[in-house]
Amino acid sequence: MGEKYNIIAAVRSDEDFEKALKSGVNMIFDLNPDLITLNGKIALAHKAGKKLFIHMDLASGIAKDKSGIQYVKNSGCDGVISTRVNIIKMAREMGMFTVQRFFIVDSHFMDTTVEALKSSKPDMIEIM
């Protein structure tokens, strides 16, 4: 009792996002971000005392390039999530917090993951 656990809410819908805002989590992963709602979601998350990370690979209307990442950073987003080494490297070069996501299905994927980590050097990894 009294211990604090860091839990990350991964959300795909506006309804899930609203629930995450009201919850005790301190970090939200938006797995369905879009250009139109990004700034509003960032403002709401920060007002609720939470950090917001967006999944760049799944972002609608936001380019998966240096300009897109710069836009996300300038918007005040706390970090990005991606499966792509180049996205993670660009975001890190811009000083953003990064989460690299990996899908491990067999030992070959594990070797590939290790090589990708050597190149991208993310702040955090998510293994699925």
Side-chain angles (χ1 to χ4, degrees):
M1 192 68 78
E3 292 181 58
K4 183 176 180 181
Y5 296 97
N6 290 323
I7 298 173
I8 300 168
V11 302
R12 291 187 187 276
S13 68
D14 290 340
E15 182 180 322
D16 290 343
F17 183 76
E18 291 295 325
K19 288 178 185 176
L21 288 175
K22 295 174 186 171
S23 74
V25 303
N26 58 9
M27 192 176 296
I28 301 171
F29 283 5
D30 187 348
L31 304 180
N32 194 27
D34 68 75
L35 177 65
I36 295 168
T37 61
L38 179 64
N39 290 326
K41 284 184 173 180
I42 292 168
L44 288 170
H46 290 172
K47 184 177 179 184
K50 300 171 189 322
K51 295 188 181 300
L52 181 66
F53 289 65
I54 68 159
H55 199 311
M56 287 296 295
D57 303 355
L58 306 174
S60 175
I62 303 171
K64 282 66 168 165
D65 61 14
K66 191 173 184 175
S67 294
I69 296 167
Q70 188 66 54
Y71 175 80
V72 169
K73 179 181 179 178
N74 292 349
S75 294
C77 193
D78 297 293
V80 298
I81 307 159
S82 181
T83 59
R84 301 174 186 178
V85 170
N86 64 323
I87 298 281
I88 297 299
K89 286 171 82 171
M90 284 187 284
R92 288 208 23 95
E93 288 169 3
M94 292 181 199
M96 293 194 76
F97 195 91
T98 57
V99 179
Q100 188 158 8
R101 184 181 247 202
F102 295 97
F103 295 93
I104 308 289
V105 294
D106 61 24
S107 60
H108 171 72
F109 280 91
M110 190 62 177
D111 294 338
T112 303
T113 298
V114 170
E115 290 306 311
L117 288 170
K118 288 178 184 177
S119 177
S120 62
K121 299 180 175 135
D123 296 295
M124 190 173 8
I125 62 170
E126 178 182 14
I127 298 175
M128 302 181 75

